[in-house]
Amino acid sequence: TAGGVRTRSAYHFQPAKNWQNDPNGPMYHNGLYHFFYQYNPDGVTWGNGNLSWGHSVSVDLVNWFALDAALQPSRSFDANGCWSGSATILPDGSPVMLYTGIDARGDQVQNVAFPKNASDPLLVEWVKPEYNPVIPVPADIKRDDFRDPSTAWLGADGLWRIAVAARVHDVGGATLIYRSKDFLRWERNADPLYLAHAAGMVECPDLFPVSEPGVEVGLPASGAGARHVLKMSVMDTVQDYYVVGRYDDTADTFVPEDDDDCRSWRRLDYGHVYASKSFFDPSKNRRVLWGWANESDSVSDDLVRGWSGVQTVPRKIWLDEDGKQLRQWPVEEIETLRSKRVNLLIPEVNAGGVNEIIGVMGTQADVEVVFEVPALEHADVLEPNWLLDPQSLCGEKGASVPGSVGPFGLLVMASGDMQEHTAVFFRVFRQNDKYKVLMCTDLSRSSTRDGVYKPPYGAFVDMDIEAHGGIISLRTLVDHSVVESFGGGGRTCITARVYPEHAENGNSHLYV
Ligand code: FRU
């Protein structure tokens, strides 16, 4: 087979079968985590027309119990699909869902849903009130350019706000703001929260406050005081971009601190992740991010396997000391899955040195490496235009191209004969008297199979390696077809999907 069993992830979220895409309405409620997701109950492809909200619960974000679908197309206001949306926890502790319905005419409209029985700990049944839709398509927006309501937050005036993605004709991708006092009647603010002139349709907006730089404590959705992060999923490039900025909670507008072309903002993940969504977890005072990692082999492979799509591990996110970038780290609960620990201290790695890490399961591992670079000053000189396209740079200077400082990193999911391997590595360059660290996940040798997407992924790690004593860390979660990496303490993340042939019936090896 195309590897239905061997490629299935062991600890990344997946339903038992069929298609999944965006994370929806993640929340913590009465001691349980709820996770919903775009789900096709009838098949392995996206399945236009019958998208539903799959539903699972967990006490620890690691072990999940599948429940029946929470929302399925059933009414005129969602007859053709229940698309993405978000959860809001009301002041009395009860949740409400906002989601996009594809109505009987094919219009994208925004609906609400409430738990049928608020005292059911599992919140299995959801009620869609008769009065839906609560927001029909506005006159100036095309019927299929209006979707993905965010979590609501309360303004100082006592009104709830939500962000909704839209495309304004001839203007660009917009994040619209609606206000309401009751979740029933919503009024659009004349100004959008943010207008992305350079982009077409944007999807799944997420606006959230962050603590002071370097403070890992998350904040609940709110307008007041704090700095905010705006994340948008840009359809043109299929990438999730974010930026830190100032949210004005009276005008309901957002001004990025950085470049105004959203496509040059930072990316949550420089690999294969889209339509991410965060939520505030009050039980641990942290903000947690989920993201969808699509398959990257062929649809016919998906059909043979019977499933498509995984979620990234839930990641704690906070603002870095630099006040500009988010740091991301697998939630600590993932570490409860660690069983046998293997330590390896390698005093010195010579050029070309490859050290096998023996005693771990190569297909399923949580790898943390700390590299100490003794002589940064030997680094190759960076050509300025390389800064513009780190991905191509990773392609040109793959894992087997020698450099002065690097490549150094991991070879994961490697066959015994090394014919197949996925390289996750760094390379240090010198620019005047500063150093730049490039991080790559090179998939070109990840599989000997054809018809598999095998790009080089890459980005710079925004940290001063010299000030860190020449030390840089890499954590890579290997999970069969997932290679999810956190470079420089979670400053740069790269998630890749891999389909090595050898894993069908052989062992995988791990090397540093
Ligand atoms: C993003 C997206 C959303 C939409 C959903 C439909 O991947 O296109 O905009 O609500 O998927 O499944």
Side-chain angles (χ1 to χ4, degrees), residues 2 42-45 297-308:
D42 304 321
V44 181
T45 55
D297 58 352
S298 69
V299 175
S300 54
D301 289 336
D302 298 349
L303 290 168
V304 172
R305 270 198 301 267
W307 53 265
S308 176

Side-chain angles (χ1 to χ4, degrees), residues 211-289:
S211 291
E212 288 303 300
V215 178
E216 297 183 28
V217 175
L219 299 174
S222 94
R227 282 167 222 248
H228 283 72
V229 168
L230 176 63
K231 178 240 101 175
M232 299 188 306
S233 302
V234 175
M235 249 182 112
D236 311 336
T237 56
V238 204
Q239 302 295 354
D240 282 7
Y241 301 93
Y242 75 90
V243 72
V244 178
R246 291 283 159 188
Y247 163 63
D248 176 336
D249 66 331
T250 317
D252 279 320
T253 52
F254 176 87
V255 180
E257 277 174 5
D258 252 344
D259 203 311
D260 209 41
D261 179 349
C262 64
R263 296 164 309 178
S264 56
W265 293 355
R266 289 166 203 268
R267 279 168 51 185
L268 281 170
D269 195 294
Y270 290 86
H272 211 68
V273 173
Y274 191 60
S276 60
K277 188 180 295 295
S278 71
F279 73 105
F280 175 67
D281 172 8
S283 74
K284 295 206 168 175
N285 282 315
R286 60 185 171 181
R287 183 161 286 273
V288 176
L289 181 86

